[in-house]
């Protein structure tokens, strides 16, 4: 119903925008990261344990980039520099359409945050290393392994809060991303 979509405009996502605007703590931020429909720097999915065909665990993976992978943010390539500039302009336009004040400055902060996330990410070829990506951990171990993110709140929002079998894919990336949750301003995460 494209006529209804046009008539509703940004009001269709206003409840989500209001929830984002209300975030004041990293715990509230972590809850949104675990809910479907909200951007998150950490992805999660349930999969079979690669070394135990009778068991499943929640795989935690690096995520959260708006462009295809870390190279788009980090490579010193003229074409990618153009892509980065176009991406910042796109973020600014989306924020403007959503009614955000100071959209251009927020777009720059989002790009800076995503670049920090990209620095934490593993290169694509390393993510294919099955041995390096096999790091089973309990729920308690995840919390101490990668502090900064409120893992329990995120797990509860993902509806896996009672699970005790997790796999830290891209483990150093998860540590770096979790540290960014507390080291970067909440307002930048909200713009993100």
């Amino acid at each position: 119903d494209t006529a209804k979509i046009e008539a509703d405009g940004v009001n269709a996502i206003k409840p989500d925008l209001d929830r984002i605007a209300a975030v004041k703590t990293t715990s509230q931020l972590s809850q949104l990261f675990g809910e479907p429909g909200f951007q998150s720097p950490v992805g999660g999915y349930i999969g079979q344990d690669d070394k135990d065909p009778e068991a499943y665990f929640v795989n935690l993976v690096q995520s959260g980039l708006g462009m295809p992978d870390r190279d788009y943010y980090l490579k010193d390539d003229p074409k990618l520099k153009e892509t980065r500039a176009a991406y910042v302009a796109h973020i600014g336009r989306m924020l403007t359409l959503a009614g955000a004040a100071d959209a251009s400055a927020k777009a720059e902060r989002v790009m800076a945050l995503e670049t920090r996330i990209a620095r934490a990410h593993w290169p694509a070829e390393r993510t294919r290393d099955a041995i390096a990506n096999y790091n089973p951990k309990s729920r308690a171990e995840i919390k101490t392994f990668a502090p900064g993110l409120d893992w329990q709140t995120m797990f509860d929002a993902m509806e896996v809060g009672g699970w005790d079998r997790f796999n830290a894919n891209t483990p150093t990336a998860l540590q770096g991303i979790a540290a960014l949750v507390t080291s970067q301003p909440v307002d930048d995460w909200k713009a993100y």
Side-chain angles (χ1 to χ4, degrees), residues 39-147:
Q39 180 74 330
S40 176
V42 175
Y45 65 94
I46 296 171
Q48 191 170 18
D49 184 326
D50 293 340
K51 294 186 179 180
D52 182 355
E54 302 295 319
Y56 289 85
F57 49 32
V58 178
N59 284 286
L60 301 170
V61 297
Q62 66 187 24
S63 186
L65 299 179
M67 293 191 286
D69 69 35
R70 72 189 304 269
D71 287 348
Y72 280 74
Y73 297 84
L74 305 177
K75 268 195 165 179
D76 187 24
D77 174 280
K79 189 77 172 154
L80 290 177
K81 287 180 182 178
E82 288 176 25
T83 301
R84 287 191 285 271
Y87 182 56
V88 171
H90 170 72
I91 294 168
R93 175 115 172 95
M94 294 300 102
L95 289 168
T96 298
L97 291 171
D102 205 13
S104 293
K106 285 181 181 172
E108 292 290 344
R109 291 197 319 266
V110 169
M111 182 60 170
L113 179 58
E114 286 191 31
T115 301
R116 287 181 182 93
I117 294 168
R119 283 189 192 109
H121 273 212
W122 286 14
E125 61 277 5
R126 189 167 180 213
T127 65
R128 293 187 282 273
D129 182 338
I131 294 169
N133 280 284
Y134 187 78
N135 303 285
K137 299 194 179 303
S138 69
R139 188 168 6 116
E141 288 171 327
I142 289 290
K143 293 175 190 178
T144 58
F145 171 75

